[in-house]
Amino acid sequence: MQLHPDLTGYVESSLVLSILKIYSNSQDLSEQVAYHCMRYSRRIHDLGALRLANSPVSLPTENPRSTYVQLNSLVSWREYFDLAKIPTAGCISTTNRITSFDSETRTGYMDLKNTANEMTCALTILAGLEATITNLDTKPALTIHLIGAAEWEATKSMLIEELFHLCPGLQNLTVGYVGPESFLLHNCVNSASSTGLTSLHSCKDCQNDGRSIRIFASRGLYHEFLTTDLATQHPPDLIVAFTAGHQDTNVDSWAPTLKQVLASNKPAVFTTFNLKEANEEEAAFDKLGACFILRPQINTWHGLVGYHERSGPKNVLWYKNLYWYIVKGQDPASTSSA
Ligand SMILES: [Zn+2]
């Protein structure tokens, strides 16, 4: 079988060899196996090696930028890592492949893939803002509503500070986590002020610049949340649903939420793990007469770690936020009866 380049140097491991015997010679699956074997191996030998992935306050852009560089002027994670001046940026190509097979490059490459997987949400939000707000570089305050938010989104909450480091004009950021599984609710109930908001700690540079990140959480369905005072007080500049799968699971409870998202006439970013989901969700929004700012397409800022869905098609890997699309409002001429 053909060995994925990431596995070079790990073939001495009986664990790797055992796994390789189980899997087919699919290039993509080999990549997934390589990733997990390398991660497993490095966890044993060097627990500190995954610093970026495990330390949510270590942002790729360590120092806030003084000039704004449009994210949509970058074509790949490689260019983003270059912009952030990450020394190992050269380990990944503009097509997200490893650039050399020596052990140093392999290590750097894996760290970058981890980092991309951590940062995909923050950068997808910024890409969505760029696509929908014309004066983004001078906008001092932004409010984001994350819908269908659960544990995964909550664990990335600190990484939203990257927006401060990339957007010099941004001073205040408010992020709401709304969903039946809103993981933050517990913490926020205990620590939030009477406003329902909790402040997040940021780096010294951001503190000295008087910047603030506030978050709130609401456990429940988004269309119900929209009737609350909290929603009225903090209307969104952008609504975002990461890999919500609204045509896959809980379709009935998503239906009124999708209608209200369109009725709000606010831009809303949706992401999916694969093209099939994206096509199904596009069809559902078409039925509702949605206006598309962006039809489904590959998201440059998708996660780089592949997942194999047990119930999904064989030899196909899914990636976090692989496809994205943006809707805003409904076409008044729509003849849909939905
Ligand atoms: Zn900062």
Side-chain angles (χ1 to χ4, degrees):
M1 68 183 288
Q2 186 180 1
L3 197 65
H4 188 275
D6 286 7
L7 282 169
T8 310
Y10 288 83
V11 290
E12 74 279 9
S13 159
S14 59
L15 170 69
V16 172
L17 286 174
S18 301
I19 295 174
L20 286 173
K21 282 176 187 170
I22 296 170
Y23 280 91
S24 72
N25 63 354
S26 155
Q27 180 79 359
D28 278 344
L29 272 183
S30 293
E31 179 177 343
Q32 185 201 27
V33 173
Y35 170 79
H36 290 292
C37 288
M38 290 171 71
R39 183 165 183 162
Y40 174 77
S41 172
R42 294 188 58 214
R43 273 191 184 282
I44 292 172
H45 298 298
D46 183 9
L47 290 174
L50 297 173
R51 183 180 60 86
L52 273 175
N54 291 337
S55 176
V57 292
S58 294
L59 299 170
T61 307
E62 195 174 344
N63 301 310
R65 293 184 55 79
S66 57
T67 55
Y68 183 60
V69 176
Q70 289 260 352
L71 200 58
N72 66 20
S73 70
L74 310 179
V75 299
S76 68
W77 279 105
R78 163 63 185 269
E79 293 193 1
Y80 165 73
F81 291 135
D82 276 335
L83 183 70
K85 296 186 169 57
I86 291 182
T88 56
C91 298
I92 193 168
S93 73
T94 54
T95 55
N96 300 327
R97 292 292 179 183
I98 195 166
T99 52
S100 175
F101 304 133
D102 60 274
S103 66
E104 201 172 317
T105 304
R106 287 200 306 268
T107 301
Y109 178 62
M110 200 186 86
D111 276 345
L112 294 175
K113 286 178 82 164
N114 268 316
T115 304
N117 234 50
E118 296 296 304
M119 296 306 300
T120 175
C121 288
L123 292 204
T124 300
I125 288 173
L126 183 54
L129 291 167
E130 281 188 356
T132 56
I133 296 176
T134 51
N135 58 340
L136 182 63
D137 56 333
T138 57
K139 206 163 168 59
L142 289 169
T143 298
I144 315 292
H145 286 180
L146 298 183
I147 67 175
E151 180 178 354
W152 192 81
E153 285 83 356
T155 58
K156 313 296 175 211
S157 59
M158 299 292 283
L159 299 175
I160 200 74
E161 187 182 346
E162 181 77 352
L163 266 62
F164 279 156
H165 291 207
L166 294 174
C167 306
L170 187 58
Q171 284 290 306
N172 298 294
L173 191 56
T174 304
V175 184
Y177 295 79
V178 184
E181 300 171 48
S182 182
F183 182 75
L184 282 177
L185 184 66
H186 229 45
N187 297 332
C188 285
V189 164
N190 295 329
S191 60
S193 67
S194 58
T195 62
L197 275 73
T198 299
S199 293
L200 290 186
H201 292 292
S202 53
C203 75
K204 278 196 173 166
D205 286 336
C206 286
Q207 289 176 36
N208 292 339
D209 286 345
R211 294 168 141 181
S212 76
I213 304 176
R214 301 179 305 169
I215 60 172
F216 64 82
S218 178
R219 182 169 284 180
L221 301 173
Y222 187 65
H223 58 276
E224 296 167 349
F225 162 76
L226 286 177
T227 64
T228 66
D229 290 344
L230 200 56
T232 307
Q233 289 158 5
H234 304 286
D237 296 286
L238 185 70
I239 300 166
V240 184
F242 291 117
T243 50
H246 58 72
Q247 295 307 300
D248 183 34
T249 55
N250 302 316
V251 177
D252 289 344
S253 58
W254 269 104
T257 287
L258 301 183
K259 286 181 182 175
Q260 285 306 308
V261 165
L262 296 179
S264 74
N265 204 32
K266 301 287 185 181
V269 168
F270 289 82
T271 69
T272 68
F273 281 108
N274 55 47
L275 179 60
K276 179 174 173 287
E277 277 186 325
N279 287 338
E280 289 170 354
E281 294 185 10
E282 179 184 33
F285 270 118
D286 274 332
K287 266 189 182 175
L288 295 173
C291 295
F292 279 82
I293 292 177
L294 186 76
R295 290 277 174 179
Q297 59 180 253
I298 292 272
N299 172 20
T300 302
W301 311 112
H302 67 79
L304 295 185
V305 178
Y307 302 96
H308 183 226
E309 187 67 17
R310 282 181 190 171
S311 59
K314 241 185 168 183
N315 297 341
V316 174
L317 291 180
W318 296 3
Y319 294 86
K320 196 77 184 174
N321 303 331
L322 181 58
Y323 282 80
W324 76 319
Y325 59 91
I326 307 174
V327 293
K328 183 187 177 190
Q330 283 167 298
D331 181 355
S334 169
T335 56
S336 170
S337 58

